[in-house]
Amino acid sequence: MQDDNNSVSNLPKTDVISWTSTETISQKRGGKWYAIVVGVFVTLLAVDALLFAFGVFDLMALISTAALLVAMFVALMISTKLPAHESSYVLSNDGLVINGQNHPLSEFRAFGVRQHGGLWQLVLIPVKRFGMEIVSYIDEQNGEKIVDILANFLPMEEVPENGVDRLIDRLKI
């Protein structure tokens, strides 16, 4: 049986490519977006109060639901004001290093590239069934080199956006 480290060492040495990117694209939110969010929040609080008034909720359910709604509203407002987090990436034969944490390429079964909001995204698909995809924005200058290096180790697949990503983009969160 051939060991994975030996098979990697038989491949040609590749250049080391490093880049930085933000985790998300800054969304433009106007006054209309904030008005809609406040309207939805007030409507949910009103439904909560009506459920209490008609005896569907008891006092404890009313208070806990209202507290949860307020906490979600505050968290949403804070998260919309925070700047996007910047991550650093280094790709080589040894794997992908993200903010100093090494991810061997054996953790991934495939990769893909897709366009999102006018920018290119690199998507690494994990071997683990319930593992998280690693998604990074890449620029066109390094994009071809990154794809060439990854193609030495992993197959390339088409990676459509999932429903959660589309919903988050549509809601401008």
Side-chain angles (χ1 to χ4, degrees):
M1 183 171 155
Q2 191 173 8
D3 144 20
D4 283 340
N5 292 335
N6 192 16
S7 63
V8 170
S9 63
N10 291 338
L11 289 171
K13 276 291 188 194
T14 57
D15 294 330
V16 174
I17 297 178
S18 60
W19 72 96
T20 59
S21 78
T22 59
E23 290 181 349
T24 60
I25 299 174
S26 296
Q27 296 281 353
K28 302 279 190 248
R29 298 174 195 93
K32 182 179 177 181
W33 185 87
Y34 287 102
I36 290 171
V37 169
V38 168
V40 167
F41 170 69
V42 169
T43 302
L44 290 173
L45 283 176
V47 168
D48 187 34
L50 285 173
L51 289 172
F52 174 71
F54 288 115
V56 177
F57 278 1
D58 62 1
L59 183 60
M60 192 56 128
L62 170 73
I63 293 170
S64 61
T65 305
L68 181 62
L69 287 170
V70 169
M72 290 181 350
F73 178 77
V74 169
L76 178 62
M77 290 299 110
I78 290 172
S79 70
T80 60
K81 298 298 182 186
L82 293 175
H85 179 71
E86 188 95 3
S87 295
S88 64
Y89 301 87
V90 178
L91 177 64
S92 69
N93 279 20
D94 298 327
L96 179 65
V97 178
I98 305 170
N99 295 329
Q101 184 178 9
N102 188 31
H103 296 272
L105 294 176
S106 61
E107 286 182 10
F108 308 105
R109 68 172 174 82
F111 77 99
V113 178
R114 67 181 174 216
Q115 202 162 20
H116 176 80
L119 300 173
W120 289 99
Q121 285 182 327
L122 171 67
V123 180
L124 293 164
I125 304 164
V127 171
K128 294 180 181 176
R129 182 179 199 134
F130 296 109
M132 295 283 295
E133 291 180 340
I134 292 181
V135 179
S136 169
Y137 289 99
I138 55 176
D139 58 0
E140 289 188 37
Q141 291 175 327
N142 290 329
E144 194 172 319
K145 293 176 192 173
I146 292 168
V147 168
D148 289 344
I149 290 174
L150 288 172
N152 287 327
F153 303 99
L154 302 169
M156 187 171 183
E157 290 182 3
E158 187 175 326
V159 285
E161 276 190 322
N162 61 34
V164 173
D165 289 337
R166 285 194 299 268
L167 178 64
I168 288 172
D169 195 44
R170 183 126 170 99
L171 294 175
K172 297 182 181 180
I173 303 177

